[in-house]
Amino acid sequence: MLTLYIGNKNYSSWSMRPWVLLQQSGIPFKEVMVRFDSFDAGSQFKATLQGLTPTGKVPLLVDGDLAIWDTLAIAEYLAEQFPEKHLWPADRAARARARSICAEMHSGFTALRSNCPMNIEAQLPEIGALTWRDKPGVRADVQRLVDMWGSLLQEHGGPMLFGTFSVADAYFAPICMRLKTYALPVPPAVAAYVDRVCALPGVQDWITQALAEKDFLDFEEPYRLTP
């Protein structure tokens, strides 16, 4: 069976992507949660991953003797191993577009990701309002999302970005969490897509388990001193 190493569900946006992809697609896997005690070289987190991945980071997918440690690589591996799950769009052009936006997420949206870290348990609309006012990079990132999602939803008719659920929706699920946590303003059509992503059974499972963790990590909490 596949084994997926992840971090704390409340905070680990990168872990959320392959976990939701597996869960929503009905692909059996074993989960190993590696708690974010610290990212220092001597931490238990690093010790647990030592010898499994050269990066010392999560997520990590292990299939027998094979370890895959990048989220896009994990998605591509799963798509190859489970072609019947149709994890990428069937149409060649749509598939290329889906890969493009996932790659853009992988390397972009840095202002939104750095100023609005994922924190599913928290509700931070006041922080979101200040960030929206003071951080033009965040506004630019959200506008890019609005343009991207709006165009794809219109082109493919929803309910997901390419019609049915795909890697792209799993990839942007943590962004949906951020938009919710910080109450960042988006048009109704985009807000409706965010709600549909949050309602997916695989995403609901992740949210429920994130809320049950109750593991407050101060180094992951730039905006709160206590839970």
Side-chain angles (χ1 to χ4, degrees):
M1 181 179 289
L2 299 170
T3 299
L4 183 68
Y5 290 78
I6 64 170
N8 292 58
K9 289 189 171 78
N10 189 51
Y11 303 113
S12 186
S13 59
W14 289 106
S15 297
M16 185 181 186
R17 294 179 171 94
W19 194 99
V20 165
L21 184 62
L22 287 160
Q23 188 81 348
Q24 183 65 24
S25 302
I27 299 172
F29 69 102
K30 175 186 175 183
E31 171 193 318
V32 177
M33 199 277 272
V34 186
R35 182 177 180 269
F36 287 157
D37 61 330
S38 167
F39 300 122
D40 295 337
S43 67
Q44 186 60 46
F45 176 82
K46 292 294 186 182
T48 301
L49 295 172
Q50 186 176 13
L52 296 174
T53 167
T55 65
K57 298 178 181 178
V58 290
L60 168 70
L61 183 71
V62 175
D63 186 6
D65 294 331
L66 178 64
I68 307 104
W69 59 83
D70 178 271
T71 51
L72 272 178
I74 291 170
E76 293 288 8
Y77 182 77
L78 293 174
E80 290 179 357
Q81 293 295 104
F82 302 94
E84 75 281 4
K85 297 297 184 179
H86 307 291
L87 301 183
W88 291 112
D91 177 76
R92 183 176 64 176
R95 191 163 60 250
R97 183 90 176 274
R99 285 186 167 117
S100 294
I101 68 169
C102 287
E104 183 179 350
M105 177 68 255
H106 200 272
S107 59
F109 300 98
T110 53
L112 178 59
R113 284 158 47 190
S114 60
N115 288 285
C116 300
M118 192 174 86
N119 191 333
I120 293 172
E121 181 271 332
Q123 296 297 316
L124 302 169
E126 299 87 356
I127 299 299
L130 291 173
T131 301
W132 189 260
R133 184 193 69 185
D134 297 338
K135 303 292 184 180
V138 171
R139 297 196 299 272
D141 282 350
V142 172
Q143 186 59 54
R144 171 61 187 139
L145 289 170
V146 168
D147 294 342
M148 175 200 297
W149 292 354
S151 173
L152 290 169
L153 291 168
Q154 185 174 22
E155 179 179 352
H156 298 282
M160 298 289 106
L161 293 178
F162 292 89
T164 58
F165 175 80
S166 72
V167 174
D169 303 295
Y171 231 74
F172 283 99
I175 291 291
C176 294
M177 301 298 102
R178 288 174 162 97
L179 294 175
K180 285 279 194 181
T181 294
Y182 298 92
L184 299 178
V186 294
V190 170
Y193 168 69
V194 170
D195 288 340
R196 291 194 297 271
V197 169
C198 292
L200 290 170
V203 175
Q204 277 291 302
D205 289 344
W206 179 276
I207 292 171
T208 298
Q209 294 174 41
L211 295 176
E213 283 179 347
K214 301 188 184 304
D215 187 11
F216 182 82
L217 303 176
D218 56 359
F219 59 89
E220 292 279 7
E221 293 275 357
Y223 303 120
R224 303 193 302 173
L225 298 177
T226 59

